[in-house]
Amino acid sequence: MKRKATINDVAREAGVSKGLVSFALNDRPGVSTETRDRILTVARELDYQPSVSARSLSTRSSYAVGLVIARDPDILGADPFFPSFIAGVERALLTEGQALVLSVVGDDEHEAAAYQRLAADARVDGVFLTDLRHDDPRIPLLQRLGMPAVTLGHPETSGSEPADAPYPAVSLDDTPGVVAAVQHLIDLGHRRIAHVIGPRRMLHATRRNAAFVDTLRAAGLPTDLVVETDFTAAQGASATEHLLDLADRPTAIVFGNDPMAIAAIGVAHERGLRLPDDLSITGFDDSELARFVYPSLTSVRTDPLLWGEAAARTLLRLTTTGHADDVDLEPARVITRASTGPVRA
Amino acid sequence: MKRKATINDVAREAGVSKGLVSFALNDRPGVSTETRDRILTVARELDYQPSVSARSLSTRSSYAVGLVIARDPDILGADPFFPSFIAGVERALLTEGQALVLSVVGDDEHEAAAYQRLAADARVDGVFLTDLRHDDPRIPLLQRLGMPAVTLGHPETSGSEPADAPYPAVSLDDTPGVVAAVQHLIDLGHRRIAHVIGPRRMLHATRRNAAFVDTLRAAGLPTDLVVETDFTAAQGASATEHLLDLADRPTAIVFGNDPMAIAAIGVAHERGLRLPDDLSITGFDDSELARFVYPSLTSVRTDPLLWGEAAARTLLRLTTTGHADDVDLEPARVITRASTGPVRA
DNA sequence: AGATTCTCCTAAACCGGTTCAGACCACGGG
DNA sequence: CCCGTGGTCTGAACCGGTTTAGGAGAATCT
């Protein structure tokens, strides 16, 4: 196999200095059209591809972005959000010659370490901040590290300033989806509705629960049935057990993700309950499986693929131009299926 | 924020040349113990971290490994194999200062391009080869690119030579799992057993089907019920529909992954069948959800986490030492749950 | 015509490591 | 006393790009 052509090869072949080749390839002014064309032709002939590592060293940027996922592998496997999100990211990176560096860590401690390593090694030019938390420690951490980032959704505006968010936010508003799901249940006649949410420290869990509570309250209904979980199917199942054991048990349960809702269907069946007659269930994220379980699962559809793509585009814009505007995607909406129905007379 | 310390800073501070610092840090001979200690101390004091890009440029290696996944995002999301596998990979990379570069592509065409980009940009020192195919085109491609790799499972030995596999294989034998699952069904009295497999071009699909067929044949049972799918829940569902519509329909179905099996449970319920009385079902990979669907799913357990870890270790050994032995992990075994039962009298 | 400006280009420094040839020194042997 | 020899260290080249200072020559201005 021939050695890869370097910028020197191109320069020699084109009869110019390598500095000029660099100028021509990055189309910067100061190169005559004629010479530029000749250089580009030679580069094409030699199948010249600039060396990423040389360029990284010289420009101090890595032409890659990072994603750190802090979730237990088990949850990760069950939850289709990240794979789709990553596929979307990839779609945006592909055309830009950028790469995605992925880090999967079990807990928060390793999470901080992962960001620090990414920064220390200058592996990436920017990162995605998913699963935002309250007073998210990653934001000051990243600022200290001088690492550009894009947040999925708006972080808490801790200060009084509304515009003190240090990073552009790419948001997919999930509250309309939650509101629609809850309203759907209310319209079906449900009065005792429970909410099984993800970890409270995650912003979206509390935000969705706020939407849940608001909607119930507006309808004059009780809002006391909220159970926090870690997003695993296991905890979704035990939360369901708990709720069904209550004296004044709910007739409908809203779940924070599909795996938990599917586990709940299992629990209900196990108890001989009929769905949706005895219990209505809704999921979140509308994974592929939602259409195929029995009864098919009413779920709130977000679009992780699109979200990933938009987030990646925004991050690239930020790292290359130094600025990127917030992006708002189409809000989540409920997809009604067979797991929700009128409350039994 | 202070600028990061470079090797020059360490050299100056320790009063030696930067070449010697390099020697000391990579503990190579030719540095006196005394000097070495002094250099290491200074390095620690300055919190010196070698620059990955500088080192990459100089050594022509990137200290990262690559994973290219060619699956439709939807399937990816439903199938918990890759997230767990990646988590395992990560666990092995963490301690070695290596990073994982991930590429998710939709189809084979983009897949080849992804490998080529990884190689052309020298982004990674080696890659994982998952979902091996018949006459896998990626093997000659990677050889042409001079890219080290580790295969998950043994590739087809196309030639007569048994040891012509160009890459070390990290294998988790799935046939014992399949055999056990099928035997389990036979023991329960099933005589018409179907197999819903993944894409035939994938080696593991045909290998598992061979195990399936062999086991049935050994018991003198018919082996005609095999349906090929793309691993999606959707095709799992339609395969089930098809099988149940047959005049001489199976009493048990073995599925190639859990999402398809779960979709099959949905279809069966939809038709008013009772599980496992009217139909027994087994899955594959034993995802978290398997325990929580109703009835809980008998599945074949592999260990993607462990697999990922072993594969990563092997790949690192290969890229650093130039050689790595094959690794054989604990074979897959069947986990019996409630979705399989005696055939109805 | 001479000074100024502009365009196009070259040479060299630089990014931060690795590696190699050879300098320097102490030591033991002849 | 001189000469290898071995251990320790320096200096410089090198990896392959980017960037800056400045030079040559043509065009424009005065």
Side-chain angles (χ1 to χ4, degrees):
Chain A
M1 201 176 60
K2 275 207 312 291
R3 290 257 305 101
K4 263 189 59 176
T6 73
I7 198 173
N8 283 306
D9 301 329
V10 177
R12 185 174 355 93
E13 201 69 22
V16 296
S17 70
K18 71 172 184 172
L20 199 63
V21 174
S22 176
F23 272 57
L25 291 174
N26 299 323
D27 44 31
R28 294 160 52 133
V31 187
S32 73
T33 320
E34 193 183 2
T35 314
R36 180 186 307 274
D37 288 348
R38 181 157 40 91
I39 291 173
L40 294 180
T41 307
V42 170
R44 206 169 315 113
E45 277 168 4
L46 296 181
D47 190 29
Y48 168 70
Q49 298 274 116
S51 146
V52 174
S53 32
R55 207 207 292 235
S56 296
L57 177 57
S58 176
T59 62
R60 309 161 167 294
S61 62
S62 55
Y63 307 94
V65 296
L67 174 61
V68 176
I69 304 181
R71 288 203 183 182
D72 189 280
D74 267 354
I75 317 170
L76 200 57
D79 196 330
F81 178 84
F82 279 106
S84 296
F85 179 79
I86 289 172
V89 167
E90 206 68 46
R91 195 191 282 177
L93 297 185
L94 202 65
T95 54
E96 306 295 323
Q98 300 265 339
L100 172 66
V101 175
L102 181 67
S103 217
V104 176
V105 296
D107 52 53
D108 296 7
E109 192 183 337
H110 292 90
E111 184 187 29
Y115 282 111
Q116 262 153 350
R117 271 189 44 206
L118 249 31
D121 294 355
R123 290 272 191 188
V124 299
D125 299 332
V127 295
F128 300 99
L129 227 43
T130 65
D131 286 336
L132 284 180
R133 307 202 285 265
H134 295 281
D135 282 324
D136 204 312
R138 295 173 297 175
I139 293 184
L141 171 64
L142 290 176
Q143 286 186 299
R144 205 164 49 232
L145 295 172
M147 172 76 71
V150 159
T151 58
L152 264 60
H154 293 276
E156 248 167 0
T157 50
S158 57
S160 48
E161 304 291 297
D164 63 351
Y167 298 123
V170 178
S171 311
L172 192 156
D173 190 2
D174 45 12
T175 53
V178 175
V179 169
V182 176
Q183 193 59 52
H184 167 61
L185 292 170
I186 294 175
D187 293 346
L188 288 169
H190 293 275
R191 294 297 170 257
R192 289 287 284 167
I193 305 176
H195 198 195
V196 177
I197 62 177
R200 271 224 157 77
R201 56 196 199 105
M202 291 188 183
L203 224 52
H204 57 248
T206 52
R207 185 181 53 233
R208 287 189 212 158
N209 193 50
F212 171 84
V213 166
D214 288 352
T215 312
L216 285 189
R217 197 162 281 159
L221 297 176
T223 62
D224 54 315
L225 297 176
V226 176
V227 183
E228 179 180 359
T229 67
D230 64 358
F231 268 143
T232 55
Q235 293 207 3
S238 54
T240 307
E241 302 272 14
H242 164 72
L243 288 168
L244 294 181
D245 282 341
L246 292 178
D248 190 14
R249 74 167 185 79
T251 61
I253 311 180
V254 173
F255 285 88
N257 68 2
D258 279 0
M260 290 198 296
I262 292 173
I265 291 178
V267 168
H269 277 149
E270 198 81 50
R271 293 189 170 214
L273 297 180
R274 298 184 55 87
L275 305 183
D277 296 340
D278 298 325
L279 182 66
S280 283
I281 285 178
T282 71
F284 203 99
D285 275 341
D286 193 29
S287 53
E288 200 215 355
L289 222 38
R291 282 166 51 215
F292 297 103
V293 291
Y294 180 81
S296 63
L297 184 66
T298 294
S299 190
V300 175
R301 177 176 300 171
T302 58
D303 195 335
L305 199 81
L306 211 63
W307 209 350
E309 195 174 350
R313 276 195 215 299
T314 303
L315 185 51
L316 290 188
R317 196 173 353 259
L318 177 64
T319 57
T320 54
T321 72
H323 175 81
D325 289 322
D326 287 1
V327 175
D328 285 302
L329 301 174
E330 190 111 343
R333 67 182 201 282
V334 66
I335 306 291
T336 309
R337 297 207 184 84
S339 68
T340 47
V343 72
R344 200 172 39 173
Chain B
M1 201 177 62
K2 275 206 314 290
R3 289 256 303 100
K4 261 189 59 174
T6 74
I7 198 172
N8 284 306
D9 301 329
V10 177
R12 186 172 356 92
E13 200 69 21
V16 296
S17 71
K18 72 173 184 171
L20 198 63
V21 174
S22 177
F23 272 58
L25 292 173
N26 299 323
D27 44 32
R28 293 160 52 132
V31 187
S32 72
T33 321
E34 193 184 1
T35 314
R36 180 186 305 275
D37 287 347
R38 179 157 41 91
I39 291 174
L40 293 181
T41 307
V42 170
R44 207 169 311 113
E45 276 167 4
L46 295 181
D47 191 30
Y48 167 72
Q49 300 274 117
S51 147
V52 174
S53 31
R55 207 209 294 236
S56 296
L57 177 57
S58 166
T59 62
R60 310 161 167 294
S61 63
S62 55
Y63 307 94
V65 296
L67 175 60
V68 176
I69 305 182
R71 287 205 185 180
D72 190 279
D74 267 354
I75 315 170
L76 238 198
D79 197 330
F81 178 84
F82 279 107
S84 297
F85 179 79
I86 290 171
V89 168
E90 205 69 47
R91 195 190 281 177
L93 297 185
L94 202 65
T95 53
E96 308 295 322
Q98 300 265 339
L100 173 67
V101 174
L102 181 67
S103 216
V104 176
V105 297
D107 52 53
D108 297 5
E109 193 182 337
H110 291 90
E111 185 188 27
Y115 283 111
Q116 261 152 351
R117 272 190 43 208
L118 249 31
D121 294 356
R123 289 273 191 187
V124 299
D125 299 331
V127 296
F128 300 99
L129 227 43
T130 66
D131 285 336
L132 284 180
R133 308 202 285 265
H134 295 281
D135 282 325
D136 204 311
R138 295 173 296 175
I139 292 184
L141 171 64
L142 290 176
Q143 287 186 298
R144 206 164 48 234
L145 295 172
M147 172 76 72
V150 159
T151 58
L152 264 60
H154 293 276
E156 249 167 358
T157 50
S158 57
S160 48
E161 303 292 296
D164 63 351
Y167 298 123
V170 178
S171 312
L172 192 156
D173 190 2
D174 45 11
T175 52
V178 176
V179 169
V182 175
Q183 193 58 53
H184 166 62
L185 291 170
I186 294 175
D187 293 346
L188 288 169
H190 293 274
R191 293 297 170 259
R192 287 290 282 167
I193 304 176
H195 198 195
V196 176
I197 63 176
R200 272 222 157 77
R201 56 197 200 102
M202 292 188 183
L203 225 52
H204 56 248
T206 51
R207 186 181 49 232
R208 288 190 213 157
N209 193 50
F212 170 85
V213 166
D214 288 351
T215 311
L216 285 189
R217 197 161 283 160
L221 297 175
T223 62
D224 55 314
L225 296 177
V226 177
V227 184
E228 178 179 1
T229 67
D230 65 359
F231 267 143
T232 55
Q235 293 207 4
S238 55
T240 308
E241 303 271 13
H242 164 72
L243 288 168
L244 294 182
D245 283 341
L246 294 177
D248 190 15
R249 74 167 186 79
T251 60
I253 311 180
V254 173
F255 286 88
N257 69 2
D258 280 359
M260 290 197 297
I262 293 174
I265 291 179
V267 168
H269 278 148
E270 198 81 51
R271 295 190 168 213
L273 297 180
R274 300 182 55 87
L275 305 183
D277 295 340
D278 298 325
L279 183 67
S280 282
I281 285 179
T282 71
F284 203 99
D285 275 343
D286 192 30
S287 54
E288 200 214 355
L289 223 38
R291 283 165 51 214
F292 297 104
V293 291
Y294 181 82
S296 61
L297 183 66
T298 295
S299 191
V300 175
R301 177 176 297 171
T302 59
D303 195 335
L305 198 81
L306 211 63
W307 209 350
E309 196 174 347
R313 276 195 215 299
T314 303
L315 185 51
L316 290 189
R317 195 175 353 259
L318 178 63
T319 57
T320 54
T321 72
H323 175 80
D325 289 322
D326 287 1
V327 175
D328 285 302
L329 301 173
E330 191 110 341
R333 68 181 201 281
V334 67
I335 307 290
T336 310
R337 297 207 184 83
S339 69
T340 47
V343 71
R344 203 172 36 174

